[in-house]
Amino acid sequence: MSEPASTRALASVSLDLDDLWSYLKIRGDSRWESRPSYLPLFIPRALDALDEAGVRITFFIVGADAALDRNRDAMATIVARGHEPGNHSFEHESWLHLYSRAQLEEEVSSAERAISAATGARPIGFRGPGYSWSHTLLEVLAERGYLYDASTLPTYLGPLARAYYFATAARGMKKTAERSTLFGTFADGLRPIRPYRWRLGADRTLLEIPVSTIPGVKTPFHLSYLLYLSRFSETLAITYLRTAITACRIAGVEPSYLLHPLDLLGGEEAPELSFFPGMDLSGERKRAFFVKVMRVLGEHFEIVNMSTHARAILSRARLATRVPDAKAPVAVGG
Ligand SMILES: [Zn+2]
């Protein structure tokens, strides 16, 4: 028998609604410009899988997708079926730390307008593409009345992810300043796993809910990671998840759990992305694994969307505060 909801620890689940074009764009593949999409296929499948798992989550939506007429009906179903829309920028460029204040204001507000118009609900949470963010971005979010930011990923593995990305990126892709800190630096591993408040100008603060990594070792356990392990052994992947959950419970960390479309889409459903790890698995197998992962998480935590989690965090004891440090671009291999 499960414990009453009020005494259970929470876990928030969110999905970054990255479309096919944004994956091509981040790799420097010019085919992105016609904005090829898998959303008409993906959104209904994701909503069905979430229903099967019995969870209501946050979808971080890209403004450019919400602005397209072809996506409007699918976007509206996200909210109609009980999920929260979040803001995942307008153009999905993973170098928000290089944007000026004016660019950030435009990026956040244009995405917010498009998402509100398409879904009927105004986003109050933000996640930067590729976990990119800056002090100015946080100021812009606080000024616009956002409840939380969810752009930080405290892990030491960012540079490894970047190396993998460059190794598989389109030919001729340059390690530009824009991409030199893609997926973060080693210093991101020093960031906290627990939620905290950013202390900003004019006495403003903004709640930060980091993407959870395993307390102590700070290795990820989001679904892409577990899927990778499941290719060797599903038992191994679930054991790893249970270890992560135990570490969270011992450390008193309520997870913020991250999903991506490729966690639920099979290789046959997005053939252009066959270079991604795990794209040799079928969509059916991935969705069954997802439902299993949600059941395991749900054994230990009450699964909620991010704004519900944010309000619960803010209603409890005092949070640590931090002054945002500059995320200075660090040259990687020139
Ligand atoms: Zn994204």
Side-chain angles (χ1 to χ4, degrees):
M1 223 167 97
S2 61
E3 307 156 59
S6 58
T7 65
R8 296 188 75 196
L10 303 180
S12 47
V13 175
S14 59
L15 185 145
D16 292 358
L17 194 57
D18 304 328
D19 201 356
L20 175 54
W21 64 264
S22 64
Y23 281 104
L24 297 175
K25 181 178 186 178
I26 209 169
R27 291 180 85 228
D29 184 328
S30 62
R31 286 178 296 171
W32 79 265
E33 286 163 22
S34 61
R35 303 217 190 249
S37 178
Y38 49 55
L39 294 185
L41 171 86
F42 173 72
I43 292 175
R45 295 217 170 148
L47 293 173
D48 288 348
L50 289 161
D51 278 354
E52 193 183 338
V55 294
R56 298 286 174 267
I57 69 163
T58 299
F59 280 72
F60 285 104
I61 297 173
V62 176
D65 288 317
L68 290 173
D69 278 343
R70 70 180 186 207
N71 291 328
R72 284 186 82 97
D73 291 348
M75 293 286 168
T77 60
I78 293 173
V79 170
R81 286 172 67 172
H83 304 285
E84 176 197 12
N87 185 336
H88 195 33
S89 82
F90 194 88
E91 280 293 348
H92 201 276
E93 294 186 335
S94 304
W95 41 90
L96 292 186
H97 53 289
L98 302 179
Y99 275 38
S100 67
R101 171 175 269 272
Q103 285 175 307
L104 287 167
E105 282 170 352
E106 176 59 21
E107 186 70 13
V108 172
S109 64
S110 59
E112 200 181 288
R113 276 194 302 275
I115 296 163
S116 303
T119 67
R122 181 179 172 270
I124 51 171
F126 185 89
R127 174 170 293 140
Y131 319 109
S132 67
W133 60 277
S134 68
H135 191 154
T136 311
L137 170 68
L138 301 171
E139 296 272 3
V140 168
L141 295 174
E143 284 162 19
R144 298 191 69 80
Y146 274 63
L147 181 66
Y148 65 94
D149 174 74
S151 303
T152 59
L153 173 69
T155 182
Y156 301 108
L157 297 183
L160 271 182
R162 184 166 57 248
Y164 178 83
Y165 157 81
F166 279 118
T168 61
R171 252 188 313 178
M173 252 290 292
K174 296 263 167 49
K175 289 179 190 176
T176 58
E178 290 170 346
R179 292 178 173 87
S180 66
T181 56
L182 195 63
F183 307 127
T185 63
F186 188 76
D188 286 322
L190 303 174
R191 294 186 191 288
I193 289 178
R194 274 166 225 286
Y196 51 94
R197 281 180 201 263
W198 291 117
R199 183 180 301 286
L200 305 167
D203 281 338
R204 286 198 182 90
T205 62
L206 181 67
L207 175 64
E208 177 67 29
I209 306 180
V211 174
S212 294
T213 50
I214 300 180
V217 292
K218 292 187 170 172
T219 50
F221 62 103
H222 48 255
L223 193 56
S224 309
Y225 222 73
L226 298 183
L227 264 171
Y228 178 75
L229 294 177
S230 80
R231 295 169 71 229
F232 304 100
S233 153
E234 200 167 296
T235 310
L236 170 71
I238 295 293
T239 303
Y240 182 81
L241 171 63
R242 289 192 186 280
T243 306
I245 289 171
T246 303
C248 285
R249 292 191 68 96
I250 290 170
V253 170
E254 293 186 318
S256 166
Y257 198 76
L258 174 66
L259 310 172
H260 284 105
L262 301 189
D263 299 338
L264 301 171
L265 278 180
E268 76 284 7
E269 293 159 328
E272 300 86 344
L273 298 177
S274 58
F275 58 87
F276 262 87
M279 291 312 279
D280 51 343
L281 301 176
S282 74
E284 206 177 326
R285 178 168 161 194
K286 284 183 170 184
R287 292 188 283 275
F289 184 68
F290 160 73
V291 171
K292 186 179 269 187
V293 166
M294 287 297 107
R295 289 208 175 117
V296 173
L297 202 60
E299 286 169 17
H300 302 273
F301 301 100
E302 183 81 20
I303 297 177
V304 295
N305 68 23
M306 292 214 57
S307 63
T308 302
H309 198 186
R311 290 197 176 92
I313 292 165
L314 289 168
S315 73
R316 296 183 200 139
R318 276 185 51 196
L319 290 167
T321 60
R322 285 171 70 87
V323 175
D325 44 327
K327 187 166 181 169
V330 176
V332 175

